[in-house]
Amino acid sequence: MGKVVTSASTSLDGFVAFPNDDPGPLFDWYGAGDVEVVNAGDLPPFHLTQTSADYWREWTSRLGCLVVGRHLFDITDGWKGQHPLGVPFVVLTHEAPTDWAHAHTGNAHFVTDGIEAAVAKAQQIAGDKTIGVAAGTVAGQALAAGLVDEVAIDLVPVVLGDGHAYFAGIDPSEVRLGDPTVVIPSARVTHMVFPVQR
Amino acid sequence: MGKVVTSASTSLDGFVAFPNDDPGPLFDWYGAGDVEVVNAGDLPPFHLTQTSADYWREWTSRLGCLVVGRHLFDITDGWKGQHPLGVPFVVLTHEAPTDWAHAHTGNAHFVTDGIEAAVAKAQQIAGDKTIGVAAGTVAGQALAAGLVDEVAIDLVPVVLGDGHAYFAGIDPSEVRLGDPTVVIPSARVTHMVFPVQR
């Protein structure tokens, strides 16, 4: 089975968005270079440095499926069924929507019986490819359940002060990370990957 | 005048100590290697990796004076007048102690009229050497006052969940940092230095 990796752009104080869900300056690095990266969905292309583009392409080429929470699904309208990364996604929710306009794309899968089931479903879809887990409550639940292999942090040199934490709703002592296996400084971001210590 | 640099071991969620002042796992890197580093005061030596020791010695060789807050002074008893880094220190306080047992060392200087005066006093002492500013309220005040040139973060792969923030008591939007000029992965720490954007 593929690795399970949480991933998010993160401030120096550990937030992945302001309280109102705005990522603010955390996404500045998506416009910090001149290498065009095309989205699979209907978002416009973005422009990375060569360093970030190389990292991004390596990461996205390995991805087989994402696991996201219901809140992210709702605020993006499920990316209208086409995630920018071009992969299917599993939505962990208490109740699957019955009238979602983009259900016909077949790219969204709803799981209602917990994080283990959501990750298992994503692994079934992804085969040997990597499972990407969204930061926030879902990442917290996955980490607490011992399901996460790596924590990818795109570290942005800003402070948000308040907002949505990368790992939400868990005992911080659950977060036992090893030294980073990847440290790639770029423009407006340093790409880092930490293995989870079990 | 020398550069003004804030510095602290920092968790992935931006804390420099637990609420009870315990740094917890943030100081694990002080014992993560076999290169002995001797303290100037009466603390025992610590043991760094070669990588961290090289970084540490370069940093401490440039230091001319520290600026610390009254809380840190109180909980350490002013390092009995001998800071581990072997440099004099300026204590920003509302009122200087009149009966401190270690005043005779002459290494502690008390400033009661604000952060600008404290940094100015430290610069007078340090000459061309670097001023180190402790994280927390003092770092926040210095940054908000436009006095800080660089933010040094010894980034530790742990999450504290709560505690003393690196920059305390200021509007986070005051923290405008450039891309890191130093990124040195080591054991239980990644040494990073961010220039302040003015």
Side-chain angles (χ1 to χ4, degrees):
Chain A
M1 288 188 300
K3 270 197 252 192
V4 177
V5 182
T6 63
S7 175
S9 296
T10 311
S11 69
L12 294 175
D13 49 350
F15 295 110
V16 299
F18 282 114
N20 68 355
D21 299 320
D22 180 359
L26 293 177
F27 284 0
D28 284 357
W29 63 277
Y30 286 106
D34 53 14
V35 179
E36 182 168 292
V37 177
V38 176
N39 279 299
D42 62 357
L43 292 172
F46 48 94
H47 298 83
L48 304 181
T49 63
Q50 187 64 57
T51 299
S52 286
D54 290 346
Y55 177 73
W56 178 267
R57 285 172 176 152
E58 201 277 326
W59 157 244
T60 55
S61 72
R62 287 190 285 120
L63 265 186
C65 190
L66 298 170
V67 178
V68 305
R70 181 58 186 263
H71 182 63
L72 185 58
F73 174 84
D74 283 343
I75 65 178
T76 62
D77 190 21
W79 301 278
K80 299 179 182 171
Q82 299 285 349
H83 192 279
L85 297 179
V87 291
F89 50 97
V90 172
V91 183
L92 179 61
T93 181
H94 294 294
E95 196 167 357
T98 53
D99 58 349
W100 183 46
H102 308 284
H104 64 278
T105 61
N107 291 324
H109 304 263
F110 299 91
V111 168
T112 57
D113 46 352
I115 187 67
E116 285 89 349
V119 170
K121 177 69 179 174
Q123 284 178 314
Q124 180 194 327
I125 293 168
D128 289 337
K129 302 194 85 173
T130 294
I131 314 303
V133 176
T137 309
V138 174
Q141 291 181 358
L143 197 84
L147 301 170
V148 178
D149 297 302
E150 292 180 343
V151 170
I153 293 180
D154 297 312
L155 187 71
V156 179
V158 298
V159 173
L160 298 194
D162 191 13
H164 295 280
Y166 191 114
F167 292 114
I170 63 166
D171 178 351
S173 68
E174 300 269 13
V175 189
R176 292 182 295 273
L177 305 181
D179 293 322
T181 52
V182 172
V183 179
I184 302 175
S186 182
R188 303 314 297 159
V189 67
T190 300
H191 306 292
M192 307 183 81
V193 178
F194 302 87
V196 173
Q197 293 181 326
R198 293 212 168 103
Chain B
M1 287 189 301
K3 270 197 254 192
V4 178
V5 182
T6 63
S7 175
S9 296
T10 311
S11 69
L12 293 176
D13 50 350
F15 296 109
V16 299
F18 282 113
N20 69 353
D21 299 320
D22 179 357
L26 293 176
F27 284 0
D28 285 356
W29 64 276
Y30 286 106
D34 54 14
V35 179
E36 181 169 291
V37 177
V38 176
N39 279 300
D42 62 357
L43 290 172
F46 47 93
H47 297 83
L48 305 181
T49 63
Q50 189 64 58
T51 299
S52 286
D54 290 346
Y55 176 74
W56 177 267
R57 285 172 175 153
E58 202 276 328
W59 156 244
T60 56
S61 71
R62 287 189 286 119
L63 265 186
C65 190
L66 298 170
V67 178
V68 305
R70 181 60 186 262
H71 182 62
L72 186 57
F73 174 84
D74 283 342
I75 64 178
T76 63
D77 191 22
W79 303 277
K80 300 179 182 172
Q82 300 285 350
H83 192 278
L85 297 180
V87 292
F89 50 96
V90 172
V91 183
L92 180 60
T93 180
H94 294 294
E95 196 167 355
T98 54
D99 59 350
W100 183 47
H102 308 285
H104 65 278
T105 60
N107 290 325
H109 305 263
F110 298 91
V111 168
T112 55
D113 46 350
I115 187 67
E116 284 89 348
V119 170
K121 178 68 178 173
Q123 284 178 316
Q124 180 195 325
I125 294 168
D128 289 338
K129 301 194 86 172
T130 295
I131 315 302
V133 177
T137 309
V138 174
Q141 291 181 356
L143 197 85
L147 301 170
V148 178
D149 298 302
E150 292 179 344
V151 170
I153 293 179
D154 297 312
L155 187 71
V156 180
V158 298
V159 173
L160 298 194
D162 191 13
H164 295 281
Y166 190 113
F167 293 114
I170 64 166
D171 178 351
S173 67
E174 300 270 12
V175 189
R176 292 182 295 273
L177 304 181
D179 293 323
T181 53
V182 172
V183 178
I184 301 175
S186 183
R188 301 314 297 160
V189 67
T190 300
H191 306 291
M192 308 183 81
V193 178
F194 301 87
V196 174
Q197 293 180 328
R198 292 211 168 103

